[in-house]
């Protein structure tokens, strides 16, 4: 019986010793599992901040990992916790709360602790909770308790950035850069440089971050955004493309960067690929991008369809509204376009593409001053080296031209022509400026080039015809005015020119019928009266050649009346006096003729004065005046012709010869053919140039989406704190027993109890 008692007690002691050792071993093992699970979970937790995507914390995998961690920790807690471990327990439970999204509760728990200087890790963790709760000053105080921690400097820099204390952040960064922060310190410092407008320095820091760790998407996205802002679209494309395969956000940026390089087909392909994926986050952005792509490919109907789709899926953004505005501009719906761009600017007054769009809309509404004001606001993005801006330079050029700013208009037209040599609107605009500056030869060259690219605008033909009239190129002008009238019979200036070339083509009767009609319908136009008078004067000359003196006088009377009316309507046009002087000369009212010629002393008046004196046999005076005219214009064919006749004294002979010549003879020129005295009398035609106005192609540079996703990236490297190891339980003392052996008599001294044998 005694032996059984001993054996039972021994087994109790061994069992207690085994259980104590098992508890210690299991407890340690549970804590290492907790730490490992925490480390794994923090990867996703930090990723949500690295990618600015809180939705990652709602991911089923993350939630499952969080539950496993909680289970492991509570198992460990149940086995190892003692009342003296309250600081460790509260630290660990606060971490679990933070990981589950309860940032405020986590900080509340930590603020209840009274920490000693030895609790550096707990203080650091509390700093992370302060950072999560936007208590940045408190966070920095806690981080300062662990200066050697590799991420203390990173998180302190983040706290400065989030407070927008950029100057203090830069000062802090100068002496606190850690050796290894996986690029986060450089990234956050680069972001501070960006907010300070130091873009080159920001790009350098982001490049350093990428060299340290190229796995964090934000590094390349941020650098790509900066490249886009500084005009380095090609470099931006490379950055976005690098991460586009792994992140939908980068894929959208990549496609938009392709748009900025006018690679519309490639951008369209990337947007389509995204829409075929399962990701729905940026579907609205993709529809906007599709609209931009089709607009760039000049498929306006498709662009409009995708803009409408985008409008159903996302809120109106400046980029979307500008895209819709561009469609309205393409359809010349200026008021609708204005409304769209104006809404975009109300949402973001710094969105420059909307100013450009509104400027064009204002131009279409003929509000030229307001148009130029909007152009001024967007001047910084008017790229003089981008061919897609050619139409904008044309538009601004005409707005300036209509407001009498010829210098500015000329600069804009010159830029547009350099960007696109076929831009006929700019060529025609330059011709108008040259006409205003009386540089008629250059004007003709610009207009001739413009007509090579656009042959359906009557005003361009009309102006070109008038330039030909200026150079007395009547035969060439004949077909030009004919074309202008075919395009628009209501073009009065073209009809006027047509009447002149009919006269010069010796179709006097047709010219007379035309001018009769024009003068009757437009009595307020002085040039019609003037040219009508010239036709009547030539008819009078023809009647006089045919000895129809009464008819000739009727025509001269009509001619004089026309010139008088012209001067009454436009008294500043002194050259009408030259034409009136010719009638006085025909009536042999030489004093009146001389006064009329003197009222406009140009080379034509000098020629006619010379002819008048020649008719009076005052050859010396005639040669003098004609000589002065030749000095002014030595190549003028009429002056040369008249001088030749005057020198040879053959005017009477020439008069008879010309009068007998046929329509196709060598003297079929109208000025020679209907000469009364063998000399050519010059009449000054009048004409006006049309003010050119173009409907506008309104092909706008694309309003590529700008991403301003500027966020600082902390490092939340929470750490559990293990409970202190407990001392081993006291050893159980085993009582010593004296031997109970019973010695039996016998030769071998047997001991023990001898049991009887039963038989």
């Amino acid at each position: 019986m005694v032996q059984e008692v001993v054996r039972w007690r021994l087994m109790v002691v061994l069992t207690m010793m085994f259980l104590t050792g098992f508890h210690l071993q299991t407890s340690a093992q549970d804590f290492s599992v907790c730490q490992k699970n925490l480390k794994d979970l923090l990867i996703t937790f930090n990723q949500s901040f690295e990618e600015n995507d809180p939705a990652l914390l709602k991911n089923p995998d993350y939630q499952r990992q969080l539950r496993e961690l909680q289970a492991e920790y509570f198992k460990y807690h149940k086995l190892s916790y003692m009342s003296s471990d309250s600081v460790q327990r509260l630290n660990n439970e606060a971490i679990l709360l933070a990981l589950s999204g309860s940032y405020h509760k986590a900080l509340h728990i930590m603020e209840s602790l009274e920490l000693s200087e030895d609790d550096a890790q707990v203080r650091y963790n509390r700093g992370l909770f302060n950072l999560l709760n936007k208590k940045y000053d408190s966070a920095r105080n806690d981080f300062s308790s662990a200066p050697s921690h590799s991420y203390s400097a990173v998180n302190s820099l983040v706290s400065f950035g989030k407070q927008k204390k950029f100057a203090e952040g830069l000062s802090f960064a100068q002496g606190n850069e850690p050796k290894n922060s996986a690029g986060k310190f450089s990234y956050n410092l680069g972001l501070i440089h960006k907010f300070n407008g130091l873009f080159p320095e920001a790009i350098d820091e982001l490049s350093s971050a990428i060299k340290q760790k190229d796995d964090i998407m934000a590094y390349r996205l941020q650098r790509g955004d900066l490249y886009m802002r500084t005009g380095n679209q090609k470099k931006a494309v490379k950055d976005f493309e690098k991460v586009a395969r792994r992140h939908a956000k980068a894929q959208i940026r990549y496609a938009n960067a392709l748009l900025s390089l006018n690679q519309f087909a490639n951008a369209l392909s990337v947007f389509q690929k995204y829409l075929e994926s399962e990701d729905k986050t940026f579907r609205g952005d993709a529809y906007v991008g599709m609209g931009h792509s089709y607009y760039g490919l000049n498929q306006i109907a498709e662009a409009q369809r995708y803009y409408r789709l985008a409008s159903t899926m996302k809120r109106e953004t400046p980029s979307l509204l500008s895209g819709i505005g561009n469609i309205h501009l393409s359809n010349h719906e200026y008021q609708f376009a204005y409304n769209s761009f104006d809404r975009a600017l109300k949402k973001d007054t710094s969105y420059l593409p909307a100013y450009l769009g509104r400027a064009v809309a204002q131009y279409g509404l003929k509000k030229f001053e307001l148009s130029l004001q909007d152009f001024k606001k967007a001047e910084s993005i008017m790229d003089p080296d981008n061919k897609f801006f050619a139409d904008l330079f044309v538009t601004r050029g005409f707005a300036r031209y209509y407001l009498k700013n010829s210098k500015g208009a000329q600069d804009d037209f010159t830029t547009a022509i350099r960007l696109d040599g076929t831009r006929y609107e700019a060529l025609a605009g330059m011709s108008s400026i040259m006409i205003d500056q009386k540089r008629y030869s250059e004007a003709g060259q610009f207009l001739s080039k413009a007509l090579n690219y656009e042959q359906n605008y009557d005003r361009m033909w009309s102006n070109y015809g008038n330039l030909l009239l200026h150079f007395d190129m009547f035969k060439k002008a004949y077909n030009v005015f004919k074309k202008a009238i075919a395009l628009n019979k209501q073009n009065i200036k073209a009809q006027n020119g047509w009447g002149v070339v009919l006269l010069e083509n010796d179709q006097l009767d047709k010219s007379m019928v035309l001018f009769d009609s024009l003068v009757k319908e437009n009595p307020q136009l002085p040039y019609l009266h003037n040219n009508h008078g010239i036709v009547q004067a030539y008819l009078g000359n023809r009647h006089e050649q045919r000895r129809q003196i009464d008819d000739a006088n009727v025509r001269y009377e009509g001619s004089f009346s026309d010139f008088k009316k012209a001067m009454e309507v436009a008294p500043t046009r002194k050259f009408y006096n030259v034409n009136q002087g010719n009638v006085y000369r025909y009536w042999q009212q030489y004093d009146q003729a001389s006064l009329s010629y003197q009222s406009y002393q140009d080379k034509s008046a000098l020629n006619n004065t010379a002819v008048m004196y020649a008719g009076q046999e005052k050859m010396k005076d005639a040669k003098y005046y004609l000589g002065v005219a030749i000095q002014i214009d030595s190549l003028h064919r009429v002056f040369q012709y008249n001088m030749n006749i005057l020198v040879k004294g053959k005017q009477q002979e020439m008069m008879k010869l010309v009068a007998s010549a046929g329509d196709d003879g060598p003297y079929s020129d109208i000025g020679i053919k209907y000469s009364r005295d063998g000399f050519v009398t010059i009449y000054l035609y009048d004409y006006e140039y049309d003010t050119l106005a173009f409907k506008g192609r309104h092909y706008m540079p694309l309003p590529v989406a700008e991403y301003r996703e500027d966020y600082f990236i902390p490092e939340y490297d929470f750490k559990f704190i293990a409970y202190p190891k407990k001392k081993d339980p006291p050893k159980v003392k085993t009582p010593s027993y004296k031997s109970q052996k019973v010695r039996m008599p016998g030769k071998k001294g047997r001991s023990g109890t001898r049991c009887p044998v039963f038989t």
Side-chain angles (χ1 to χ4, degrees):
M1 188 66 182
V2 174
Q3 204 171 25
E4 288 182 4
V5 172
V6 172
R7 189 178 302 148
W8 178 81
R9 288 189 176 184
L10 181 60
M11 287 181 67
V12 169
V13 172
L14 290 175
T15 299
M16 289 179 66
M17 292 177 65
F18 174 76
L19 287 175
T20 301
F22 179 76
H23 164 72
L24 292 174
Q25 182 180 0
T26 303
S27 176
Q29 183 178 354
D30 285 347
F31 186 73
S32 64
V33 171
C34 291
Q35 288 284 46
K36 179 181 181 304
N37 287 2
L38 174 62
K39 187 176 181 180
D40 293 342
L41 199 63
L42 284 175
I43 294 174
T44 305
F45 187 80
N46 279 302
Q47 186 182 357
S48 71
F49 293 92
E50 292 164 0
E51 298 181 7
N52 196 27
D53 186 7
L56 289 174
L57 302 184
K58 297 180 181 179
N59 187 288
D61 288 339
Y62 176 84
Q63 293 296 324
R64 177 184 53 77
Q65 285 182 290
L66 178 60
R67 288 192 297 272
E68 289 177 0
L69 173 60
Q70 290 168 337
E72 290 292 339
Y73 174 74
F74 287 125
K75 184 195 300 183
Y76 163 73
H77 172 76
K78 187 175 181 180
L79 291 172
S80 306
Y81 177 71
M82 294 185 66
S83 59
S84 60
D85 301 333
S86 60
V87 172
Q88 293 88 335
R89 176 178 67 83
L90 292 175
N91 172 80
N92 299 343
E93 289 181 1
I95 291 173
L96 291 174
L97 283 169
L99 293 174
S100 63
S102 299
Y103 304 146
H104 180 72
K105 290 181 180 179
L107 179 60
H108 182 70
I109 288 175
M110 295 297 285
E111 286 177 336
S112 66
L113 296 176
E114 294 183 4
L115 302 177
S116 66
E117 293 182 1
D118 295 333
D119 297 320
Q121 181 61 52
V122 181
R123 285 179 179 274
Y124 177 79
N125 286 347
R126 187 175 66 184
L128 296 178
F129 297 135
N130 276 313
L131 192 60
L132 283 168
N133 284 277
K134 302 180 181 180
K135 295 187 175 183
Y136 303 120
D137 291 329
S138 299
R140 282 196 298 276
N141 289 334
D142 285 330
F143 294 144
S144 64
S145 67
S148 61
H149 194 287
S150 59
Y151 286 103
S152 287
V154 170
N155 292 327
S156 294
L157 189 61
V158 168
S159 70
F160 282 119
K162 286 182 175 290
Q163 281 184 300
K164 298 184 179 180
K165 294 182 176 181
F166 303 129
E168 295 178 44
L170 287 176
S171 298
F172 173 83
Q174 289 177 358
N176 290 280
E177 184 172 358
K179 293 182 179 179
N180 182 21
S181 65
K184 288 189 176 181
F185 189 87
S186 295
Y187 168 85
N188 291 314
L189 181 56
L191 206 54
I192 288 177
H193 281 313
K194 178 181 179 180
F195 284 124
N196 281 326
L198 304 173
F199 297 149
E201 291 83 351
I203 290 174
D204 289 342
E205 290 296 338
L206 290 167
S207 299
S208 175
I210 291 168
K211 287 179 183 178
Q212 294 175 56
K213 186 174 183 179
D214 200 6
D215 293 338
I216 297 180
M217 171 187 67
Y219 297 174
R220 286 194 178 272
L221 287 191
Q222 189 60 243
R223 189 173 72 171
D225 288 343
L226 275 169
Y227 280 142
M228 289 289 288
R229 182 178 288 192
T230 55
N232 294 314
Q233 284 83 2
K234 290 183 179 179
K235 290 184 178 180
V237 164
K238 290 181 180 179
D239 269 341
F240 295 145
E241 185 181 18
K242 184 93 174 181
V243 286
R245 296 180 184 87
R246 293 181 284 123
H247 301 281
K249 185 189 299 185
Q251 190 176 8
I252 295 296
R253 272 182 169 85
Y254 173 48
N256 275 301
L258 290 172
L259 284 179
S260 69
L261 293 175
N262 303 319
Q263 297 182 20
F264 306 122
N266 291 341
L268 184 66
S269 176
V270 176
F271 284 125
Q272 286 174 330
K273 187 175 181 181
Y274 171 80
L275 289 172
E276 292 169 1
S277 70
E278 295 181 359
D279 189 271
K280 308 296 182 186
T281 311
F282 305 102
R283 207 166 188 80
D285 292 316
Y287 282 136
V288 173
M290 292 283 283
H292 291 344
S293 301
Y294 278 117
Y295 179 84
L297 294 169
N298 209 24
Q299 298 182 35
I300 304 301
E302 280 296 293
Q304 188 171 21
R305 183 167 76 89
Y306 277 99
Y307 286 141
R308 285 174 178 168
L309 278 172
S311 298
T312 64
M313 296 196 65
K314 63 179 297 180
R315 295 173 59 189
E316 289 182 332
T317 63
S319 178
L320 173 57
L321 288 168
S322 293
I324 294 170
N326 287 347
I327 296 297
H328 288 307
L329 287 181
S330 297
N331 297 326
H332 301 98
E333 299 166 350
Y334 295 114
Q335 189 59 57
F336 288 119
Y338 174 86
N339 294 341
S340 189
F341 291 121
D342 198 52
R343 284 210 310 277
L345 289 170
K346 285 177 180 176
K347 290 182 176 294
D348 184 356
T349 56
S350 66
Y351 194 67
L352 299 184
Y355 282 113
L356 287 181
R358 194 171 71 175
V360 176
Q362 300 271 33
Y363 173 85
L365 294 169
K366 303 188 184 306
K367 298 178 180 178
F368 303 123
E369 290 185 358
L370 293 175
S371 174
L372 290 180
Q373 288 176 19
D374 279 338
F375 272 122
K376 182 69 176 177
K377 291 174 182 175
E379 193 170 22
S380 62
I381 61 170
M382 287 280 284
D383 187 353
D385 297 315
N386 188 335
K387 68 177 183 178
F388 289 92
F389 281 77
D391 191 75
L392 284 169
F393 282 105
V394 170
T395 302
R396 189 174 71 177
F398 274 107
R400 286 173 164 175
Y401 178 72
Y402 296 148
L403 294 175
K404 309 302 181 184
N405 180 4
S406 295
K407 177 61 172 63
Q410 187 171 346
D411 291 342
D412 281 337
F413 292 143
T414 301
T415 301
I417 293 168
R418 178 172 53 79
L419 293 175
D420 181 2
T422 67
R423 189 65 55 161
Y424 60 84
E425 302 97 325
L427 291 165
M430 285 293 288
S431 75
S432 294
I433 292 174
M434 296 297 105
I435 289 170
D436 292 343
Q437 297 174 357
K438 301 187 185 305
R439 296 159 62 179
Y440 299 110
S441 179
E442 293 172 74
Q445 292 172 13
F446 279 114
L447 204 48
S448 177
K449 289 180 181 178
L451 287 167
N452 287 331
Y453 305 113
E454 171 53 48
Q455 300 188 1
N456 295 313
Y457 188 25
D458 61 292
R459 291 188 181 185
M460 285 170 58
W461 286 107
S462 174
N463 281 2
Y464 188 50
N466 286 335
L467 286 168
L468 294 173
L469 291 184
H470 175 80
F471 291 105
D472 297 334
M473 301 174 70
F474 302 109
K475 288 184 179 179
K476 188 173 182 180
Y478 184 91
N479 289 324
V480 171
F481 284 119
K482 187 176 181 179
K483 174 73 173 179
I485 293 171
L487 290 170
N488 181 12
K489 292 181 180 180
Q490 305 304 315
N491 188 328
I492 303 299
K493 296 178 177 65
Q495 292 281 8
N496 176 66
W498 179 238
V500 171
V501 295
L502 284 175
L503 184 158
E504 287 288 339
N505 199 43
D506 197 14
Q507 299 182 50
L508 295 179
D509 297 322
K510 289 183 178 179
S511 179
M512 193 70 223
V513 170
L514 176 59
F515 277 116
D516 281 343
S517 174
L518 291 174
V519 167
K520 183 178 179 180
E521 293 175 3
N522 306 278
Q524 77 283 2
L525 298 177
Y527 57 86
L528 294 179
H529 291 291
N530 178 75
N531 296 343
H532 185 259
I534 294 174
V535 179
Q536 295 217 69
Y538 273 114
L539 285 171
N541 288 346
R542 189 174 71 178
H543 284 306
E544 193 166 345
Q545 280 187 354
R546 296 174 180 177
R547 309 298 182 187
Q548 300 166 346
I549 304 303
D550 291 339
D551 291 336
N553 284 330
V554 171
R555 287 301 181 184
Y556 291 148
E557 289 285 351
S559 177
F560 186 86
S561 177
D562 281 332
F563 296 140
K564 185 178 180 180
K565 287 179 182 177
M567 285 189 283
E568 289 174 354
V569 176
T572 59
R573 301 189 184 186
K574 297 296 184 182
F575 65 90
Y576 291 161
N577 285 282
V578 174
N579 298 333
Q580 193 179 60
N582 294 340
V583 180
Y584 280 126
R585 183 164 60 85
Y586 295 153
W587 287 340
Q588 297 181 358
Q589 297 179 20
Y590 298 120
D591 291 339
Q592 292 295 330
S594 181
L595 288 173
S596 294
Y597 292 146
Q598 289 174 14
S599 298
Y600 187 72
Q601 276 290 314
D602 81 324
K603 59 186 180 181
S604 302
L606 293 170
N607 174 82
N608 294 353
T609 302
V611 171
M612 180 183 70
Y613 283 126
Q616 295 177 274
E617 299 295 331
K618 297 179 180 180
M619 298 304 175
K620 185 177 180 180
D621 291 335
K623 288 180 181 178
Y624 170 75
Y625 281 102
L626 199 54
V628 175
I630 290 175
Q631 287 179 3
I632 296 172
D633 188 353
S634 61
L635 299 178
H636 200 293
R637 63 183 183 85
V638 171
F639 302 164
Q640 294 289 349
Y641 173 83
N642 284 344
M643 182 61 81
N644 186 51
I645 297 298
L646 189 62
V647 169
K648 293 180 179 180
K650 294 184 177 181
Q651 59 268 26
Q652 297 296 327
E653 181 182 338
M654 284 299 300
M655 181 179 65
K656 294 176 182 178
L657 181 63
V658 168
S660 62
D663 290 343
D664 297 324
Y667 308 108
S668 60
D669 185 283
I670 195 73
I672 300 174
K673 186 173 183 178
Y674 294 114
S675 172
R676 292 189 354 151
D677 48 18
F679 292 101
V680 174
T681 298
I682 295 177
Y683 285 92
L684 297 179
Y685 295 112
D686 193 13
Y687 41 83
E688 289 184 355
Y689 294 93
D690 262 314
T691 300
L692 300 179
F694 293 91
K695 197 173 182 180
R697 307 185 200 184
H698 300 326
Y699 184 78
M700 304 292 291
L702 285 170
V704 179
E706 290 186 12
Y707 290 90
R708 298 181 181 179
E709 195 180 11
D710 301 324
Y711 57 92
F712 292 91
I713 301 179
E715 175 68 20
Y716 292 107
D717 51 342
F718 298 111
K719 286 186 179 178
F720 282 145
I721 298 178
Y723 300 145
K725 291 183 178 180
K726 305 301 181 284
K727 294 180 180 180
D728 293 340
K731 294 181 179 179
V732 180
K733 291 183 179 181
T734 305
S736 56
Y737 295 95
K738 291 183 178 181
S739 176
Q740 298 288 326
K741 292 181 180 179
V742 178
R743 294 187 177 275
M744 301 297 292
K747 58 180 180 179
K748 293 185 178 180
R750 295 176 180 175
S751 64
T753 304
R754 184 182 180 120
C755 297
V757 177
F758 297 98
T759 58

